[in-house]
Amino acid sequence: MATFSIATLFSILLTLFLATLLGVTKVEARSFFVFGDSLVDSGNNNYLATTARADSPPYGIDYPTRRPTGRFSNGFNIPDLISQHIGQTESPLPYLSPQLNGQRLLVGANFASAGVGILNDTGVQFRVYESGARRVLVTGTGPLGCVPAELAMRSRNGECSAELQRAAALFNPQLTQMILRLNSQVGSNVFIAANTELMNTDFITNPQAFGFVTSKVACCGQGPYNGLGLCTRLSNLCPNRDLYAFWDPFHPSEKANRVIVSQINTGSIEYMNPMNLSTILTLDSQT
């Protein structure tokens, strides 16, 4: 399952507030579309013939229904929490869900798929700006070398993988510069760079400051750091998920997702460039 770690390098969460694509004319009726990998998948892989699935317990153990939904989380993931912040009563449904029709299309849709860009059955590309997107949030990669899966495979004393950390350090600044150049070309701050490497590094390097007991050991898993294999009914499972920065070998816990989304909402320019989500919502409400 190391492909998840590689896929994270290419993980892009796109929040799209559309005015033209769906004929929406009021800011209050903004639609929200998501593209990316397992970090933001809300259940598309439930409908695909793939091994990258989160449709069995204990996934979803802290979700309101206490049932697995296809989210690679113990509860809410990042799109869920952003949906709540922008005032939606429900998160965008997976685009493969048979329930996604009619009025629900105005809410948006989630096109994310675990393993995107790595597995042949999940890779899709979109030209979002030309399709009408006018606000696009693009996340970089997190600290790839510090997830429990990499610690289990590469670490001797709990140190992060230097090779993967260098890859992230090379990728993220160039992504931000590319986004700023795109904004210059279109003449507007359409694209927003979310520095998820820094957002994750904050609680990975100082977990106690955020109420975590550890950022090295996953809540659900097996082997060193609970970082080997999938999270299953037979895995080690922590009794309090809020004390762990990582839910499984690759994915943050719901509480860690809340930390990330808090910075997306109100973070300074080093976290959100050129502006955070709250500023976007304020500006859009004035137009």
Side-chain angles (χ1 to χ4, degrees):
M1 299 307 295
T3 52
F4 279 121
S5 177
I6 299 170
T8 305
L9 179 60
F10 304 103
S11 172
I12 299 181
L13 165 65
L14 303 177
T15 13
L16 314 181
F17 303 99
L18 306 183
T20 58
L21 185 59
L22 297 178
V24 178
T25 57
K26 294 183 179 180
V27 171
E28 292 79 4
R30 62 175 59 85
S31 299
F32 177 32
F33 292 82
V34 181
F35 304 88
D37 65 6
S38 57
L39 291 169
V40 291
D41 188 350
S42 62
N44 278 308
N45 279 28
N46 291 355
Y47 304 95
L48 297 175
T50 175
T51 58
R53 305 172 73 93
D55 57 350
S56 60
Y59 285 99
I61 189 172
D62 297 310
Y63 194 75
T65 62
R66 302 295 188 264
R67 297 171 63 88
T69 62
R71 291 167 172 81
F72 288 76
S73 172
N74 58 300
F76 289 127
N77 63 12
I78 291 172
D80 294 322
L81 299 172
I82 291 178
S83 293
Q84 294 169 18
H85 181 72
I86 65 177
Q88 291 187 339
T89 57
E90 61 180 356
S91 297
L93 290 173
Y95 84 100
L96 291 175
S97 170
Q99 300 175 354
L100 183 63
N101 51 50
Q103 195 69 19
R104 277 182 161 169
L105 283 168
L106 297 178
V107 173
N110 189 318
F111 292 85
S113 177
V116 66
I118 299 298
L119 304 180
N120 291 333
D121 55 0
T122 61
V124 182
Q125 296 182 357
F126 298 87
R127 300 178 62 119
V128 293
Y129 180 73
E130 294 178 2
S131 296
R134 290 301 176 263
R135 295 292 189 188
V136 182
L137 172 62
V138 185
T139 67
T141 177
L144 299 177
C146 298
V147 299
E150 297 302 337
L151 297 185
M153 291 187 291
R154 301 169 183 258
S155 179
R156 293 183 178 179
N157 300 301
E159 75 280 4
C160 300
S161 166
E163 180 183 7
L164 291 177
Q165 290 297 92
R166 281 195 297 269
L170 288 170
F171 177 81
N172 287 311
Q174 294 182 70
L175 175 65
T176 298
Q177 291 305 311
M178 180 188 73
I179 288 170
L180 296 178
R181 287 196 299 270
L182 284 172
N183 286 339
S184 178
Q185 292 172 15
V186 300
S188 178
N189 288 325
V190 172
F191 299 92
I192 313 298
N195 188 342
T196 43
E197 179 182 20
L198 181 57
M199 296 173 190
N200 282 266
T201 297
D202 284 347
F203 60 75
I204 286 176
T205 57
N206 190 6
Q208 287 74 28
F210 296 87
F212 300 119
V213 297
T214 180
S215 61
K216 296 183 182 298
V217 180
C219 169
C220 183
Q222 47 274 323
Y225 308 99
N226 276 346
L228 297 179
L230 294 171
C231 174
T232 71
R233 292 180 187 270
L234 300 179
S235 299
N236 301 318
L237 180 64
C238 68
N240 187 344
R241 275 67 66 183
D242 284 348
L243 297 181
Y244 287 72
F246 284 93
W247 155 245
D248 68 10
F250 298 98
H251 305 97
S253 63
E254 178 187 302
K255 183 176 178 179
N257 283 333
R258 290 186 181 277
V259 173
I260 294 168
V261 173
S262 176
Q263 291 291 4
I264 289 174
N265 288 335
T266 62
S268 64
I269 197 166
E270 63 179 334
Y271 292 92
M272 297 291 292
N273 194 346
M275 68 186 78
N276 59 41
L277 181 55
S278 293
T279 301
I280 291 172
L281 296 178
T282 300
L283 290 174
D284 288 354
S285 69
Q286 299 169 354
T287 58

